[in-house]
Amino acid sequence: VSLTISPINDNKGNIIGVSNIARDISERKQDEARKNDFIGMVSHELKTPLTSLSAILQVLNTKLKRSKDGFVPEALNRANQQVKKMSTMINGFLNISRLESGKIQIDKQAFIIGDLIKEVIAEISLTGVAHIIELQSCDNVVIHADREKIFSVLTNLLSNAVKYSPKGSNVLINCNQQDGKVLVSVSDEGLGIRPEDRDHIFDRYYRVESSRTRHISGFGIGLYLSAEIIQRHDGEIWVDSKSGKGSTFYFSLPLQP
Ligand code: ADP
């Protein structure tokens, strides 16, 4: 139950009483849980046909990659990219649903963060991005973290950097060790984020409303999930940005398990 207590004043401003409003919030929580279950169920159901579509595309790719008609491999490549995009979205929804029902687990292992960053850059580059993505500097640091989940945080930050900045611009990544932590930054030369949006971009389903972002697809879940993952590692995530001049997203993770 949520309780709101407020004073009742007479027309001279003297307090003459107190009002109590009690609201039942358990119904709202149940609604949220039902919505969450539904999203989880639909995402789960979509995974099976998508996995077979992806397998079929792979078979076609092997059979037709030497086709004389140049359109065929190109069309297969594009279909593959779209299937990958869909998988990323569905995984995002599944992760939200798992997270909110307390089913997400952090499985830590030791790995070199620089190697992981290189893997993410290689994977993003495969999707045919028209940006210059560069790992500028990286201390040779071993961290203890959930490799797969930090992979998805980096993928979110890098794909956002690409999505919200002009073709041909630079996306720069740095990673340094300091004060018992590793600090990773991803900078772009894109739209930037207004101060009034900065406090909300890590909220679930939040997307910036502007004529420049309206045509860019997304659901506003990438940063929410990234922030949850980093917090569950006792790390921090934040952004530094000037509207119109680009953004730098940072996250830090403790080095000790
Ligand atoms: P999505 O990109 O799917 O909308 P995210 O949770 O990843 O969801 O991001 C939330 C919002 O934050 C985006 O809709 C976008 O407006 C803003 N944003 C995220 N990254 C950047 C960036 N690098 N530059 C400008 N805006 C960004």
Side-chain angles (χ1 to χ4, degrees), residues 19-43:
S19 85
N20 290 322
I21 304 170
R23 246 182 255 113
D24 186 358
I25 55 172
S26 58
E27 208 172 302
R28 208 174 63 206
K29 281 211 163 143
Q30 272 175 10
D31 268 359
E32 281 279 311
R34 271 198 290 266
K35 199 163 78 188
N36 192 30
D37 285 351
F38 178 73
I39 292 176
M41 207 174 66
V42 172
S43 314

Side-chain angles (χ1 to χ4, degrees), residues 156-157 160-161 163-164 188 191-193 201 203 206-208 213 217-224 247 249:
N156 276 330
L157 296 183
N160 278 349
K163 240 165 62 169
Y164 298 105
D188 65 59
L191 304 181
I193 301 160
I201 53 169
D203 296 348
Y206 188 85
R207 304 204 71 218
V208 173
T213 54
S217 66
F219 288 103
I221 56 178
L223 288 181
Y224 168 71
S247 316
F249 281 82

Side-chain angles (χ1 to χ4, degrees), residues 194-209:
R194 295 173 300 203
E196 60 268 37
D197 290 313
R198 229 170 282 157
D199 291 339
H200 301 288
I201 53 169
F202 295 98
D203 296 348
R204 187 181 56 166
Y205 304 135
Y206 188 85
R207 304 204 71 218
V208 173
E209 255 301 309

Side-chain angles (χ1 to χ4, degrees), residues 8-171:
I8 302 170
N9 299 312
D10 65 9
N11 53 10
K12 289 188 189 124
N14 302 316
I15 297 175
I16 52 167
V18 175
S19 85
N20 290 322
I21 304 170
R23 246 182 255 113
D24 186 358
I25 55 172
S26 58
E27 208 172 302
R28 208 174 63 206
K29 281 211 163 143
Q30 272 175 10
D31 268 359
E32 281 279 311
R34 271 198 290 266
K35 199 163 78 188
N36 192 30
D37 285 351
F38 178 73
I39 292 176
M41 207 174 66
V42 172
S43 314
H44 188 75
E45 291 301 316
L46 286 174
K47 259 196 110 152
T48 319
L50 202 59
T51 310
S52 50
L53 191 59
S54 171
I56 294 167
L57 280 174
Q58 264 177 21
V59 174
L60 282 178
N61 197 32
T62 340
K63 288 197 182 280
L64 299 174
K65 69 180 165 205
R66 283 190 194 86
S67 162
K68 294 217 171 64
D69 182 348
F71 172 78
V72 174
E74 175 58 22
L76 279 174
N77 190 22
R78 283 205 208 154
N80 244 324
Q81 281 175 22
Q82 296 307 319
V83 165
K84 267 204 179 141
K85 254 192 195 169
M86 256 200 287
S87 296
T88 311
M89 282 179 210
I90 289 173
N91 281 334
F93 284 124
L94 270 176
N95 282 336
I96 284 207
S97 140
R98 282 189 198 124
L99 190 88
E100 301 200 338
S101 53
K103 283 188 202 141
I104 225 164
Q105 270 190 2
I106 301 293
D107 294 319
K108 289 190 183 175
Q109 55 173 299
F111 61 91
I112 299 172
I113 181 86
D115 290 348
L116 187 72
I117 297 174
K118 284 179 204 153
E119 270 177 43
V120 177
I121 296 177
E123 184 156 313
I124 293 240
S125 305
L126 277 181
T127 61
V129 292
H131 291 68
I132 300 136
I133 307 179
E134 193 189 330
L135 176 58
Q136 275 197 310
S137 69
C138 195
D139 292 342
N140 193 16
V141 198
V142 173
I143 64 165
H144 296 81
D146 188 318
R147 199 175 196 278
E148 210 180 295
K149 297 203 173 58
I150 301 300
F151 187 97
S152 76
V153 170
L154 282 161
T155 306
N156 276 330
L157 296 183
L158 279 186
S159 48
N160 278 349
V162 166
K163 240 165 62 169
Y164 298 105
S165 64
K167 286 183 179 164
S169 61
N170 293 298
V171 174

